[in-house]
Amino acid sequence: MKLKTGVRLHYAEQGDLNGYPVVLLHGYTDSWFSYSRVLSALSANYHVYALDLRGQGDSERPASGYDLSDLAADVVAFMDANQLKRVSLVGHSMGSFVAQRVALIAPERIDRLVLVGSATTLRNNTVRELQQAINTLSDPVSEKFVRDFQTSTVYHPVPDDFIERVIAESLKPPARVWRALMTGMLAADYSSQLSKIKAPTLVLWGDKETIFPRSEQDAITKTLPSARLKVYAETGHAPHWERPEQFVKDVKDFITEKRQ
């Protein structure tokens, strides 16, 4: 789909065309496939859109425009193109920071917000060390590097065929996109504005997370006026990969609670 922001985004779509809309935003160098373990179950109740954010998956890879503000503008443009006046927005990792930005620039468009593997800021030592490694990448991006990166985020085992496809999806963006996305993620810090997000928010976090610590979960829950935290035991950075059934239940319960 060609958007008014000038980029063509690929996306997966399931569910009743007239159903309540839910938009899913993936993590760094992932794609819509990141949500493949939960997409069918969610779409049984809702009309679900899982985007490939610019530069990733099968979306276009422009020469520039990889700041969080650019990615957020694409999401709003996608909603406009699909005539989605209000949605529940779910974001994982990088996608959670894009979701935060969308909630800041278009608060009237967000019914509910779900932040998965998130934080108040991306600026920590773990992410900066990852940036140093990514700045050394060249084409073709090393399969071993991608494998090590993706498997390092998983604690509870996931199916082999799933993780192999995740790795394949992350091999699609060229090295310049890996670098530009990381630079864009670290370029802006919206932590001082988070208290402006009024949408009811569910924060989901695995207690074996290695990127964003528990202290950040407490901080974001305290900062957002209508946020609450749910902790997944024995779970890593991606609860929707590692605990798909529980993830679907929690998201459905949260969205339904709003609309009863």
Side-chain angles (χ1 to χ4, degrees), residues 33-44:
F33 185 77
S34 177
Y35 289 98
S36 62
R37 301 199 76 197
V38 301
L39 187 57
S40 293
L42 282 174
S43 63

Side-chain angles (χ1 to χ4, degrees), residues 105-122:
I105 65 174
E108 73 285 356
R109 309 292 293 274
I110 306 303
D111 270 338
R112 289 228 151 180
L113 192 61
V114 180
L115 305 177
V116 188
S118 193
T120 62
T121 178
L122 278 148

Side-chain angles (χ1 to χ4, degrees), residues 136-154:
T136 69
L137 293 179
S138 59
D139 292 320
V141 173
S142 163
E143 190 269 350
K144 181 181 184 303
F145 177 86
V146 174
R147 181 176 299 276
D148 290 346
F149 165 65
Q150 289 290 16
T151 57
S152 73
T153 69
V154 176

Side-chain angles (χ1 to χ4, degrees), residues 33 37 154 156-166 241-242 244:
F33 185 77
R37 301 199 76 197
V154 176
H156 182 77
V158 299
D160 289 344
D161 59 345
F162 173 80
I163 199 67
E164 291 301 322
R165 175 69 181 274
V166 165
W241 295 7
E242 300 177 43

Side-chain angles (χ1 to χ4, degrees), residues 1-256:
M1 172 176 286
K2 189 75 170 184
L3 303 180
K4 63 184 179 183
T5 51
V7 68
R8 187 178 299 278
L9 287 195
H10 174 266
Y11 63 100
E13 179 182 12
Q14 287 191 22
D16 183 348
L17 291 177
N18 297 314
Y20 175 76
V22 178
V23 176
L24 310 177
L25 307 179
H26 61 77
Y28 178 64
T29 73
D30 291 331
S31 70
W32 75 268
F33 185 77
S34 177
Y35 289 98
S36 62
R37 301 199 76 197
V38 301
L39 187 57
S40 293
L42 282 174
S43 63
N45 295 80
Y46 311 116
H47 189 170
V48 183
Y49 302 83
L51 278 57
D52 286 356
L53 296 170
R54 69 163 62 198
Q56 296 153 96
D58 293 322
S59 289
E60 282 188 336
R61 315 191 200 285
S64 60
Y66 292 99
D67 288 354
L68 289 175
S69 58
D70 298 310
L71 303 182
D74 287 343
V75 175
V76 175
F78 178 87
M79 292 168 60
D80 290 343
N82 286 277
Q83 299 181 323
L84 306 177
K85 292 183 179 180
R86 291 177 67 84
V87 306
S88 280
L89 188 60
V90 180
H92 169 237
S93 195
M94 181 191 76
S96 75
F97 292 93
V98 177
Q100 291 176 21
R101 181 61 181 164
V102 173
L104 286 169
I105 65 174
E108 73 285 356
R109 309 292 293 274
I110 306 303
D111 270 338
R112 289 228 151 180
L113 192 61
V114 180
L115 305 177
V116 188
S118 193
T120 62
T121 178
L122 278 148
R123 295 176 177 176
N124 66 33
N125 290 337
T126 300
V127 177
R128 292 190 185 281
E129 288 175 6
L130 178 60
Q131 183 184 35
Q132 292 177 358
I134 285 164
N135 285 343
T136 69
L137 293 179
S138 59
D139 292 320
V141 173
S142 163
E143 190 269 350
K144 181 181 184 303
F145 177 86
V146 174
R147 181 176 299 276
D148 290 346
F149 165 65
Q150 289 290 16
T151 57
S152 73
T153 69
V154 176
Y155 182 82
H156 182 77
V158 299
D160 289 344
D161 59 345
F162 173 80
I163 199 67
E164 291 301 322
R165 175 69 181 274
V166 165
I167 292 165
E169 292 294 303
S170 284
L171 283 167
K172 289 180 178 180
R176 68 172 178 85
V177 171
W178 278 74
R179 290 192 295 270
L181 284 167
M182 180 57 72
T183 299
M185 286 194 294
L186 291 170
D189 184 26
Y190 302 113
S191 56
S192 64
Q193 302 177 42
L194 293 182
S195 61
K196 298 178 183 178
I197 297 177
K198 307 303 183 185
T201 303
L202 177 64
V203 179
L204 301 178
W205 179 76
D207 68 355
K208 300 301 183 182
E209 164 79 72
T210 58
I211 302 174
F212 301 118
R214 172 61 189 260
S215 60
E216 273 296 305
Q217 312 313 305
D218 294 335
I220 198 169
T221 306
K222 182 178 179 180
T223 302
L224 271 64
S226 300
R228 64 179 183 260
L229 170 66
K230 176 155 188 180
V231 176
Y232 286 63
E234 300 295 303
T235 303
H237 184 56
H240 58 308
W241 295 7
E242 300 177 43
R243 309 287 182 183
E245 294 85 3
Q246 187 63 50
F247 177 89
V248 168
K249 182 182 185 303
D250 290 337
V251 171
K252 283 183 176 181
D253 287 350
F254 181 63
I255 294 173
T256 302

